[in-house]
Amino acid sequence: QVQLVESGGGLVQAGGSLRLSCAASGLIFSTYGMGWFRQVPGKAREFVASINWSGSDVEYADSVKGRFTISRANAKNTVYVQMNSLKPEDTAVYYCAVRLGYGTSRHEYEYAYWGQGTQVTVSS
């Protein structure tokens, strides 16, 4: 079955950086778009970034544009998000997800498989 395992979360000071990784198995990784979402307790999950099957097309939420960079290594079945200039409002559980399609999407309903999430905490 499809499994997604996120890693790289942790505690960082405002202005710092983290790189999250998501290792996928149980699917032909290179044929799917991938996405990152985040969720704060008591709030809806929100879109962060998405990347198409080849890595040639990406999409970002306005709140992270210019600070976060999504990328993928199809040979390693892994998608990444490099997070720079982190702010306290970036604190959340971050999830990666597999989109049922080649392209990007910011819509949660277009994603079929989800990881367990990794906590990112940004202190002020």
Side-chain angles (χ1 to χ4, degrees):
Q1 74 271 24
V2 176
Q3 285 192 320
L4 302 173
V5 179
E6 300 99 336
S7 61
L11 174 64
V12 65
Q13 287 189 330
S17 299
L18 284 173
R19 188 176 83 152
L20 305 184
S21 301
C22 172
S25 61
L27 76 168
I28 303 174
F29 181 76
S30 60
T31 63
Y32 295 98
M34 297 292 295
W36 285 96
F37 291 76
R38 65 188 182 187
Q39 188 170 26
V40 174
K43 293 190 175 182
R45 191 152 49 186
E46 67 171 2
F47 169 74
V48 174
S50 180
I51 189 166
N52 74 336
W53 68 278
S54 67
S56 62
D57 189 23
V58 296
E59 189 175 358
Y60 296 99
D62 289 343
S63 58
V64 307
K65 200 173 294 183
R67 300 188 298 121
F68 289 15
T69 303
I70 189 171
S71 62
R72 65 189 296 160
N74 285 345
K76 297 182 179 180
N77 284 6
T78 302
V79 62
Y80 308 94
V81 60
Q82 176 68 43
M83 306 186 297
N84 298 328
S85 302
L86 282 162
K87 305 175 182 179
E89 50 264 43
D90 294 318
T91 295
V93 177
Y94 284 71
Y95 300 90
C96 69
V98 178
R99 179 175 183 264
L100 290 183
Y102 292 106
T104 66
S105 174
R106 60 179 60 229
H107 303 297
E108 187 175 342
Y109 61 81
E110 293 193 20
Y111 291 82
Y113 304 102
W114 295 82
Q116 294 296 312
T118 184
Q119 176 70 47
V120 171
T121 303
V122 184
S123 63
S124 57

